[in-house]
Amino acid sequence: QKEVEQNSGPLSVPEGAIASLNCTYSDRVSQSFFWYRQYSGKSPELIMSIYSNGDKEDGRFTAQLNKASQYVSLLIRDSQPSDSATYLCAVNSGGADGLTFGKGTHLIIQP
Amino acid sequence: GAVVSQHPSRVICKSGTSVKIECRSLDFQATTMFWYRQFPKKSLMLMATSNEGSKATYEQGVEKDKFLINHASLTLSTLTVTSAHPEDSSFYICSAYRTGQPQHFGDGTRLSIL
């Protein structure tokens, strides 16, 4: 049974601070890792993808992957109120496989 | 970025009705399309994987005779919820995939069965 675990939150972070979101996964053959942002009532929006160990930066977002620890994280720098949403961690075995999602972390950025 | 169109965005209908949801990739040919379902305050759950011209692969616990998937072309997949009941009320979301790219999601269809 593939599982992706996230702390459901809510995680409250002051505006301008760094928000740190964490995710662990159970399937060791997982190859592709994604962070999606989902606003209430909307479909997920891709924020970051990461495929190899280490850090990947894109603007204010940094994804970190540690396959040995089966751990993925997302850092959001200079958090803005518009970043308030549910962040979903998703993994798959690569390519054309369906995604296994975590339950999501509800992030609240306090002005 | 890649655009995936899903239609309709919202459906309200009576129990026993069959409902068809369309998913189109507008600017690329999708080798694979996926159908997910999300119940309130829950995460997305994969229902089925659809490849053009072949039968869909359903996840465990998803009834293939209830959730009919047709993938007629590389840009269109449809999900038909047959004889829908209130417990089928959910947010149905499709995604489209092409080699080397992450999955891109449609805007979702909120299905409410009365």
Side-chain angles (χ1 to χ4, degrees):
Chain A
Q1 179 84 3
K2 300 177 185 178
E3 291 183 349
V4 177
E5 299 288 341
Q6 293 181 257
N7 189 322
S8 62
L11 173 65
S12 186
V13 174
E15 183 176 358
I18 296 175
S20 177
L21 305 165
N22 304 314
C23 168
T24 59
Y25 59 94
S26 65
D27 191 354
R28 283 195 169 275
V29 302
S30 299
Q31 295 293 323
S32 304
F33 307 87
F34 307 90
W35 284 98
Y36 287 87
R37 177 173 63 196
Q38 186 175 30
Y39 294 112
S40 181
K42 302 295 185 181
S43 73
E45 172 192 7
L46 180 68
I47 299 295
M48 292 284 286
S49 59
I50 188 167
Y51 307 99
S52 56
N53 281 328
D55 296 358
K56 179 181 178 182
E57 185 175 320
D58 183 0
R60 296 187 296 114
F61 300 96
T62 299
Q64 299 173 318
L65 173 61
N66 184 325
K67 289 186 178 180
S69 300
Q70 296 175 243
Y71 174 89
V72 194
S73 66
L74 179 70
L75 299 177
I76 306 175
R77 289 181 297 282
D78 188 23
S79 298
Q80 302 296 311
S82 59
D83 295 328
S84 298
T86 296
Y87 287 80
L88 302 170
C89 174
V91 307
N92 71 0
S93 300
D97 288 339
L99 293 168
T100 300
F101 282 86
K103 292 183 178 179
T105 298
H106 183 202
L107 176 65
I108 299 172
I109 306 300
Q110 295 180 325
Chain B
V3 178
V4 178
S5 172
Q6 192 171 336
H7 178 80
S9 59
R10 184 172 182 93
V11 180
I12 301 173
C13 57
K14 294 181 179 180
S15 184
T17 306
S18 291
V19 178
K20 180 186 281 189
I21 302 169
E22 290 189 351
C23 179
R24 294 180 183 273
S25 57
L26 298 183
D27 55 355
F28 68 98
Q29 292 186 323
T31 52
T32 306
M33 289 185 171
F34 302 90
W35 288 95
Y36 297 83
R37 177 168 58 180
Q38 186 176 34
F39 290 107
K41 301 201 181 296
K42 301 292 185 182
S43 193
L44 280 77
M45 296 295 291
L46 178 66
M47 298 177 66
T49 301
S50 172
N51 292 291
E52 183 261 345
S54 60
K55 291 183 179 180
T57 302
Y58 291 82
E59 295 299 301
Q60 190 174 9
V62 178
E63 300 176 54
K64 62 179 182 180
D65 294 330
K66 182 169 184 63
F67 299 99
L68 301 179
I69 292 173
N70 183 278
H71 197 151
S73 74
L74 287 172
T75 59
L76 174 63
S77 177
T78 61
L79 169 68
T80 301
V81 184
T82 62
S83 187
H85 292 284
E87 58 266 29
D88 298 322
S89 298
S90 188
F91 191 39
Y92 291 84
I93 311 171
C94 72
S95 73
Y97 168 79
R98 58 178 168 174
T99 304
Q101 298 292 323
Q103 293 179 33
H104 289 273
F105 286 86
D107 287 338
T109 297
R110 191 160 301 282
L111 176 63
S112 299
I113 308 298
L114 305 177

